[in-house]
Amino acid sequence: MTKTPWIGTSWKMNKLRADTRAFCDTLKASPMVQGTAAKLFVIPPFPYIAEAADLLRGTRVTVGAQNMHWADGGAWTGEVSAPMVKDCGATLVEIGHSERREFFGETDDTVALKVAQAVRHGLTALVCVGDTHAEFTAKRTSEALRRQVSAALSKVERSARDTVVIAYEPVWSIGENGTPAEPEFVDEQHRLLKTLTAELMGAPLPILYGGSVNPDNCVALATRPTIDGLFIGRSAWAAEGYLGIVDSVTRALAAA
């Protein structure tokens, strides 16, 4: 049976309103956004979530948010709540990205609170986990992933497992100077994550890979049996690049 991969991109702190419109217009013009060969998602910056959701309404593209707070509301200056995310039209929220952990004090505990809050409000929680370069070179990748995933799922009931997706993003592999991970290595980590999430949630969760995904390696990654999709950075910031990766991956899977 051909798998249906998740394929999405987060724009991080990039693009303005006109760029958002142009990206979404290009997506809408493609028949791929109406197909069922992949689960497509786009995660714009907060100011453009509502506009992207409006523009992509009627397509099969899910719109997400890059972060959210664990409280419904209150004196949290500069923060955004799950009800606000939903009100803007997003149905998915990215939680625990390594940049949030490194630069903004995100911890395993706050990630757990946010995952539980997302699930409580009916949002799909896209939980990012990954090993640092130091953990990778010390061969402690498995230890780091077990710790992060166990914490992230600690406040979620097994009955809610259909609303959580894990993205393995090696910290040493993401960003402009990231080193693409070998597909065999990724496959090994995903196998571990499948086993771990099955133990914790009663069934394995979808595990996506993100980290220097590009047109040259997307097929080799997406066709691995344990990789359920791709979370793409700069290679998908142009709509044409994003659609090109979607096309390459879905064609390869259909031919497999």
Side-chain angles (χ1 to χ4, degrees), residues 67-83:
N67 184 34
M68 61 162 224
H69 199 269
W70 58 79
D72 283 352
W76 300 100
T77 301
E79 290 291 331
V80 173
S81 69

Side-chain angles (χ1 to χ4, degrees), residues 216-227:
D216 295 327
N217 64 13
C218 61
V219 169
L221 289 163
T223 52
R224 290 277 166 170
T226 61
I227 298 178

Side-chain angles (χ1 to χ4, degrees), residues 91-95 114-116 118-119 123-127 163-166:
T91 58
L92 174 148
V93 60
E94 179 183 1
I95 299 172
K114 291 180 180 186
V115 173
V119 168
L123 293 163
T124 296
L126 176 59
V127 186
T163 60
V164 183
V165 177
I166 304 294

Side-chain angles (χ1 to χ4, degrees), residues 38-251:
K39 300 173 183 176
L40 307 182
F41 64 95
V42 173
I43 309 180
F46 280 124
Y48 311 125
I49 291 174
E51 187 145 18
D54 286 343
L55 289 167
L56 293 172
R57 186 171 288 113
T59 73
R60 299 179 67 89
V61 181
T62 295
V63 175
Q66 295 180 20
N67 184 34
M68 61 162 224
H69 199 269
W70 58 79
D72 283 352
W76 300 100
T77 301
E79 290 291 331
V80 173
S81 69
M84 292 173 184
V85 167
K86 290 181 67 175
D87 192 47
C88 287
T91 58
L92 174 148
V93 60
E94 179 183 1
I95 299 172
H97 191 279
S98 63
E99 292 161 359
R100 298 294 313 172
R101 295 174 189 259
E102 181 178 0
F103 300 115
F104 298 100
E106 197 99 335
T107 67
D108 288 342
D109 290 339
T110 57
V111 167
L113 290 171
K114 291 180 180 186
V115 173
Q117 178 75 340
V119 168
R120 188 177 304 119
H121 283 277
L123 293 163
T124 296
L126 176 59
V127 186
C128 300
V129 298
D131 49 327
T132 64
H133 187 266
E135 289 167 331
F136 172 68
T137 55
K139 300 188 182 303
R140 293 171 49 209
T141 293
S142 298
E143 177 186 335
L145 297 184
R146 284 185 179 278
R147 185 193 74 247
Q148 292 173 29
V149 171
S150 297
L153 300 178
S154 62
K155 300 181 184 299
V156 180
E157 298 293 334
R158 288 189 170 199
S159 59
R161 59 177 170 254
D162 290 341
T163 60
V164 183
V165 177
I166 304 294
Y168 171 47
E169 295 196 313
V171 180
W172 46 271
S173 187
I174 64 175
E176 188 173 2
N177 299 312
T179 303
E182 292 296 329
E184 295 81 4
F185 175 81
V186 177
D187 201 28
E188 180 183 345
Q189 308 317 313
H190 278 227
R191 193 174 298 112
L192 177 151
L193 291 170
K194 287 283 187 183
T195 300
L196 177 60
T197 56
E199 292 171 358
L200 295 171
M201 302 300 289
L205 300 184
I207 314 293
L208 317 188
Y209 174 72
S212 297
V213 176
N214 58 58
D216 295 327
N217 64 13
C218 61
V219 169
L221 289 163
T223 52
R224 290 277 166 170
T226 61
I227 298 178
D228 298 312
L230 303 174
F231 193 17
I232 316 162
R234 64 193 64 249
S235 290
W237 288 348
E240 295 81 2
Y242 175 51
L243 291 170
I245 290 176
V246 172
D247 184 54
S248 294
V249 167
T250 53
R251 284 179 183 272

Side-chain angles (χ1 to χ4, degrees), residues 11 15-28 48 51-52 55-56 239:
W11 298 346
K15 299 189 185 296
L16 299 177
R17 193 173 182 184
D19 303 314
T20 299
R21 289 196 297 267
F23 188 101
C24 294
D25 286 344
T26 301
L27 257 59
K28 285 172 63 178
Y48 311 125
E51 187 145 18
L55 289 167
L56 293 172

